Amino acid sequence: MQIGTTLTRFIIEEERQHPEATGEFTGLLTELASAAKIISRDVNKAGLAEVMGITGRTNVHGEEVQRLDEFANSLVIHTTDHTGRLAGLASEEMDDIYPIPDKHPRGNYILVYDPVDGSSNIDVNVSIGTIFSIYRKRSASGVTLNDFLRPGREQVGAGYIIYGSSTMLVYTTGSGVHGFTLDPSIGEFLLSHENIQIPARGQYYSANEGNAPKWDPAIRHYVNYLREDDKASGRPYSARYIGSLVADFHRNLLKGGIFLYPGDAKSPRGKLRLLYEAAPLAFIVEQAGGAASDGEQPIMDLQASELHQRTPLFIGSSEDVATLEEFAQGKRAPEGIEGIRVSSV
Ligand code: P6P
């Protein structure tokens, strides 16, 4: 479809290819895009709006809740809770699931989201993002926690909005990955990146190397391998780490590379959450030809047992993730060192 097509038109055209589609999904994506426009407006004037700084409260993870986290969390609820598409929502900012109240019509979709990932970066003008994941509910009536504790393979849609030098919405419904750039002058997301494909092997690795002493040796061996000088295999890679998952992921999606957030002795499951960070990005990266793993198995196959469950995350170019897994599973090691298996969580 041609550059400049609006998001709404693109979704409708895409949905036409699924005769069973009811238009509900189109409506939900459109509502999320509306919320994104408002968040983008406030992010882009953060220093002038009442969205910087902290609320003084901490969330279920013991993290300081930024004003923007709270604002964006509520905004997504109020944009989507009354239109009859959702049965319930869950978010990083809410301890428990949020069933759609009786006063509103209920639909068949489940929305899981991180309203503003990397929000602590808002005060220093670094790109941040919203991540979302959509499932069809399982319960015949009402909605329960089990409707949310799903393997990523059951997602019907996933996406993120990155609030950066421009605001982009990137999503998949299982038919490729498509990117739309917000034109603030008309308030529309316009097609700018159709059918994004991640390079099979990259040039960047993204990790917080301050944590390296706590990593399993196998992960340290892998990162050292990336640093070796071997032009034939495109090494050394360049280190690029913004500390904002959506920004690091987006760069690697377009340019190729691997993002690593391993578990460690202190936090075996690492820091990132499965349901509203790892799984939606895993759906996107697989649709773009890449891969996402916890070191042992695809992220998309992991079955969450808790709403805010964490997972180690290695995500990006397929060949890079495959090499990481060889190191993590002890199948590969630097010359002269025996392979060491990363403890499975
Ligand atoms: P660290 C932001 O807080 C976040 O959740 C992700 O956006 C980012 O990738 C990660 O944490 C950064 O964590 O430990 O490197 O500061």
Side-chain angles (χ1 to χ4, degrees):
M1 212 170 290
Q2 69 185 44
I3 294 285
T5 300
T6 64
L7 172 65
T8 306
R9 169 148 187 202
F10 189 93
I11 302 171
I12 290 169
E13 298 284 335
E14 193 183 46
E15 189 151 43
R16 276 210 192 111
Q17 290 158 34
H18 300 275
E20 76 286 358
T22 62
E24 291 308 291
F25 192 83
T26 297
L28 179 55
L29 269 178
T30 305
E31 287 151 20
L32 287 170
S34 301
K37 292 173 192 172
I38 296 170
I39 297 170
S40 174
R41 177 202 62 195
D42 284 5
V43 165
N44 288 319
K45 60 177 188 180
L48 304 173
E50 286 306 303
V51 292
M52 290 178 75
I54 59 175
T55 59
R57 278 184 287 289
T58 55
N59 62 18
V60 66
H61 319 288
E63 296 164 342
E64 286 178 329
V65 176
Q66 306 284 333
R67 279 207 189 95
L68 188 62
D69 289 325
E70 204 156 74
F71 167 74
N73 188 64
S74 304
L75 178 67
V76 170
I77 293 172
H78 296 126
T79 309
T80 60
D81 67 351
H82 57 287
T83 56
R85 315 202 202 272
L86 290 178
L89 306 90
S91 135
E92 179 187 54
E93 298 308 325
M94 299 190 288
D95 297 0
D96 303 309
I97 65 170
Y98 180 90
I100 295 297
D102 293 340
K103 66 183 177 184
H104 294 318
R106 285 201 181 114
N108 294 314
Y109 290 108
I110 296 290
L111 176 66
V112 192
Y113 64 109
D114 183 353
V116 182
D117 177 77
S119 54
S120 56
N121 290 306
I122 181 77
D123 295 5
V124 293
N125 213 2
V126 166
S127 298
I128 53 182
T130 299
I131 309 171
F132 62 88
S133 172
I134 302 168
Y135 295 86
R136 205 168 272 108
K137 76 168 182 154
R138 273 187 183 142
S139 306
S141 63
V143 68
T144 70
L145 180 58
N146 283 333
D147 288 303
F148 293 80
L149 301 182
R150 315 278 285 279
R153 270 249 191 258
E154 293 182 9
Q155 293 175 90
V156 293
Y160 60 88
I161 298 94
I162 178 168
Y163 310 100
S165 50
S166 65
T167 293
M168 269 192 76
L169 184 149
V170 177
Y171 86 93
T172 186
T173 57
S175 305
V177 177
H178 312 293
F180 299 78
T181 299
L182 180 64
D183 179 340
S185 67
I186 57 173
E188 284 284 0
F189 279 103
L190 304 178
L191 182 65
S192 54
H193 299 68
E194 186 171 7
N195 199 22
I196 297 172
Q197 288 293 299
I198 186 172
R201 186 169 286 279
Q203 55 193 17
Y204 299 120
Y205 73 96
S206 308
N208 180 346
E209 295 189 68
N211 295 330
K214 294 185 289 184
W215 294 345
D216 279 279
I219 305 300
R220 285 201 296 273
H221 291 329
Y222 171 70
V223 172
N224 289 335
Y225 164 78
L226 294 182
R227 290 184 184 136
E228 287 167 0
D229 194 358
D230 178 276
K231 292 288 177 284
S233 58
R235 290 179 290 150
Y237 281 29
S238 295
R240 291 284 187 280
Y241 191 68
I242 301 169
S244 185
L245 173 60
V246 171
D248 280 315
F249 175 81
H250 185 71
R251 179 204 49 250
N252 293 350
L253 179 70
L254 297 184
K255 300 277 190 185
I258 183 169
F259 173 95
L260 309 93
Y261 209 106
D264 57 41
K266 184 163 159 278
S267 315
R269 284 184 164 170
K271 173 180 184 182
L272 301 177
R273 284 77 171 193
L274 174 56
L275 282 176
Y276 41 81
E277 289 173 337
L281 297 184
F283 189 14
I284 289 169
V285 84
E286 285 198 2
Q287 281 291 311
S293 168
D294 68 353
E296 298 288 320
Q297 58 190 303
I299 292 289
M300 289 279 270
D301 294 341
L302 297 180
Q303 170 81 34
S305 55
E306 299 153 28
L307 198 55
H308 300 290
Q309 181 170 321
R310 298 172 192 265
T311 177
L313 178 62
F314 307 99
I315 187 168
S317 295
S318 55
E319 292 177 16
D320 290 315
V321 174
T323 305
L324 173 282
E325 286 185 320
E326 288 176 353
F327 277 83
Q329 295 166 20
K331 297 171 186 164
R332 190 163 174 175
E335 301 306 315
I337 295 180
E338 192 53 35
I340 304 155
R341 186 181 186 84
V342 169
S343 56
S344 57
V345 289

